[in-house]
């Protein structure tokens, strides 16, 4: 299994790895060494907390390296000007709720549902991708449940570095 990521995603991950390796890791190692000097490690909260932060940083570096290694690099913008594509902002109408939502389709690495950044791999993302204004599409949440949405408008977007990659 691989993640479909853009060149910008890969570059952002490389920048984060660089920061975590060159700047953050030495500071965290120093914090561990300083806390270790406080004495008895079995009751040394500062040592345990510093060690945990160092391990979280190392884990994040490994995660990002694995994502880069296994990624399939994609490019948005292949469907045409009147069709929903990656990085487009889409206004959808949900008849069941009589509700209008505005979403932006992004890669899985930059998704944030609370900010309206929806992964192209999500049920809604998969449903609207490649469709036009006025199309009514079925969002399949699971085999026994789905709902319809209507595409009201499409604002073409592009891949830029303004969208942060997800933290964990």
């Amino acid at each position: 299994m691989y993640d479909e990521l853009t060149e910008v995603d890969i570059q952002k991950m490389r920048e984060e790895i660089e920061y975590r390796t060159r700047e953050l890791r030495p500071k965290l190692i120093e914090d561990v060494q300083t806390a270790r000097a406080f004495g008895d490690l079995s009751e040394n909260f500062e040592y345990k907390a510093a060690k945990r932060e160092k391990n979280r940083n190392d884990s994040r570096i490994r995660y990002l390296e694995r994502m880069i290694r296994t990624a399939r690099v994609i490019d948005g913008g292949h469907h045409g000007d009147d069709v929903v594509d990656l990085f487009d902002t889409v206004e959808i109408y949900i008849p069941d709720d009589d509700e209008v939502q505005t979403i932006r389709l992004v890669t899985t690495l930059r998704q944030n549902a609370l900010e309206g950044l929806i992964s192209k791999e999500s049920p809604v993302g998969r449903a609207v991708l490649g469709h036009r204004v006025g199309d009514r599409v079925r969002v399949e949440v699971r085999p026994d449940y789905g709902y319809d949405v209507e595409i009201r408008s499409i604002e073409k977007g592009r891949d830029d570095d303004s969208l942060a990659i997800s933290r964990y």
Side-chain angles (χ1 to χ4, degrees), residues 25-87:
R25 182 184 277 158
K27 179 195 171 305
L28 293 172
I29 289 171
E30 183 180 317
D31 290 349
V32 169
Q33 291 169 343
T34 300
R36 179 180 214 124
F38 292 159
D40 183 7
L41 296 182
S42 65
E43 295 181 14
N44 187 337
F45 175 78
E46 290 83 3
Y47 174 75
K48 290 177 184 174
K51 188 87 167 155
R52 183 175 55 241
E53 285 306 308
K54 180 197 164 294
N55 290 341
R56 282 179 52 90
N57 184 61
D58 291 345
S59 176
R60 177 68 175 180
I61 291 169
R62 285 190 306 273
Y63 168 77
L64 293 171
E65 289 172 340
R66 185 175 58 251
M67 289 285 289
I68 291 170
R69 195 172 50 252
T70 61
R72 182 173 144 226
V73 179
I74 61 168
D75 185 24
H78 295 297
H79 290 110
D81 289 339
D82 62 338
V83 177
V84 177
D85 211 340
L86 193 56
F87 302 108

Side-chain angles (χ1 to χ4, degrees), residues 9-143:
D9 291 329
I10 302 288
Q11 183 58 38
K12 284 179 162 289
M13 287 188 293
R14 286 187 177 129
E15 289 169 2
E16 184 175 337
I17 290 169
E18 179 81 9
Y19 165 74
R20 287 179 175 278
T21 303
R22 297 198 186 274
E23 294 181 37
L24 194 54
R25 182 184 277 158
K27 179 195 171 305
L28 293 172
I29 289 171
E30 183 180 317
D31 290 349
V32 169
Q33 291 169 343
T34 300
R36 179 180 214 124
F38 292 159
D40 183 7
L41 296 182
S42 65
E43 295 181 14
N44 187 337
F45 175 78
E46 290 83 3
Y47 174 75
K48 290 177 184 174
K51 188 87 167 155
R52 183 175 55 241
E53 285 306 308
K54 180 197 164 294
N55 290 341
R56 282 179 52 90
N57 184 61
D58 291 345
S59 176
R60 177 68 175 180
I61 291 169
R62 285 190 306 273
Y63 168 77
L64 293 171
E65 289 172 340
R66 185 175 58 251
M67 289 285 289
I68 291 170
R69 195 172 50 252
T70 61
R72 182 173 144 226
V73 179
I74 61 168
D75 185 24
H78 295 297
H79 290 110
D81 289 339
D82 62 338
V83 177
V84 177
D85 211 340
L86 193 56
F87 302 108
D88 290 349
T89 300
V90 183
E91 184 178 275
I92 58 173
Y93 172 67
I94 307 166
D96 291 349
D97 298 335
D98 192 29
E99 180 181 331
V100 174
Q101 288 184 357
T102 302
I103 61 171
R104 184 171 181 195
L105 289 186
V106 296
T107 57
T108 56
L109 195 61
R110 294 192 247 178
Q111 69 187 351
N112 184 338
L114 296 176
E115 293 181 15
L117 302 173
I118 305 299
S119 167
K120 68 181 198 66
E121 303 296 327
S122 71
V124 173
R126 280 194 311 267
V128 300
L129 193 64
H131 288 275
R132 293 177 163 72
V133 171
D135 286 356
R136 188 177 215 126
V137 295
R138 183 85 176 152
V139 177
E140 293 292 336
V141 178
R142 42 181 208 263

